[in-house]
Amino acid sequence: EVQLVESGGGLVQPGGSLRLSCAASGFTFSSYWMHWVRQAPGKGLVWVSRINSDGSIISYVDSVKGRFTISRDNAKNTLYLQMNSLRAEDTALYYCARGGTWEYWGQGTLVTVSS
Amino acid sequence: EIVLTQSPGTLSLSPGERATLSCRASRSVSSTYLAWYQQKPGQAPRLLIYGASSRATGIPDRFSGSGSGTDFTLTISRLEPEDFAVYYCQQYGSSPLTFGGGTKVEIK
């Protein structure tokens, strides 16, 4: 059974940092692109970042470029999102999702940026 | 950036009725990379349709997708009580990947 489990969310002050993790199981993690998608409270879905299977191709939405860094450890079957210089507008539920047909998503981890 | 505009914003229908949801792109999207999702409160998005018209695993055949280029449609042939939710389209062929703003299907 494919599982994606996010962790690392929490309450952080503006300007602070967090690192999100997404633990994958039930499939060959090293074969898939992986993505982060976020959803602010009561709002729609916004794609944040993606990384290819070996980590050599990465892209971001403009609003997080220079502040967020996506990475992966294929030996640990884990996807990461390092978030720096956090802003109030980064407050959201952050999902990881498996690329390809996008059939598999985690349940999300909540990031709240507030003083 | 490809902007996806979904309409209507809200669709008020009764169980048993047909729902037609629209997703219009600001420029052409490869059908291969157009998906539809259903999301209920407190849940992650659930993939319904990928490749514009292919149903995901376990999705009932009352859900169908169609379209090409800049105009795509999700049709629910007969609404069941569990179908009342928010629906999003997504294009994942061009970076940045983008989602539509969503259509809420509510009980009339």
Side-chain angles (χ1 to χ4, degrees):
Chain A
E1 179 194 6
V2 172
Q3 282 199 318
L4 297 170
V5 180
E6 302 93 338
S7 61
L11 174 63
V12 61
Q13 292 189 338
S17 299
L18 278 178
R19 187 175 84 154
L20 306 184
S21 299
C22 170
S25 60
F27 66 100
T28 305
F29 179 72
S30 60
S31 296
Y32 288 88
W33 286 71
M34 296 295 296
H35 301 260
W36 288 101
V37 175
R38 69 184 181 184
Q39 187 170 35
K43 302 297 185 181
L45 301 166
V46 176
W47 172 80
V48 174
S49 182
R50 68 177 174 181
I51 186 168
N52 75 331
S53 57
D54 67 4
S56 61
I57 302 174
I58 285 172
S59 54
Y60 301 96
V61 68
D62 280 352
S63 59
V64 308
K65 280 181 184 175
R67 300 188 299 122
F68 290 12
T69 302
I70 191 172
S71 62
R72 64 191 297 159
D73 185 333
N74 286 342
K76 295 183 177 180
N77 291 339
T78 302
L79 174 71
Y80 302 101
L81 187 68
Q82 177 67 43
M83 304 187 297
N84 298 331
S85 302
L86 282 161
R87 306 167 180 168
E89 54 265 36
D90 296 319
T91 293
L93 188 61
Y94 284 74
Y95 296 101
C96 63
R98 194 183 83 173
T101 57
W102 284 75
E103 187 167 5
Y104 299 102
W105 294 59
Q107 286 303 304
T109 186
L110 182 63
V111 172
T112 304
V113 184
S114 175
S115 55
Chain B
E1 171 178 332
I2 297 177
V3 176
L4 299 179
T5 301
Q6 291 188 242
S7 62
T10 302
L11 201 50
S12 299
L13 294 168
S14 301
E17 290 194 292
R18 181 184 187 90
T20 303
L21 287 66
S22 172
C23 176
R24 180 160 291 176
S26 59
R27 54 185 172 92
S28 187
V29 172
S30 168
S31 295
T32 303
Y33 303 115
L34 193 288
W36 288 93
Y37 298 87
Q38 177 193 69
Q39 189 178 34
K40 297 179 181 179
Q43 296 184 16
R46 175 194 182 198
L47 178 70
L48 299 174
I49 301 288
Y50 65 94
S53 60
S54 298
R55 270 187 300 277
T57 305
I59 300 304
D61 61 7
R62 64 180 181 273
F63 291 92
S64 63
S66 63
S68 63
T70 61
D71 288 293
F72 298 88
T73 300
L74 175 70
T75 302
I76 311 171
S77 59
R78 288 179 56 87
L79 283 163
E80 297 288 341
E82 62 267 28
D83 299 337
F84 293 92
V86 179
Y87 293 83
Y88 295 95
C89 58
Q90 177 208 25
Q91 68 80 22
Y92 51 102
S94 173
S95 187
L97 286 63
T98 50
F99 290 88
T103 291
K104 182 178 182 180
V105 179
E106 64 175 23
I107 299 176
K108 186 174 181 179

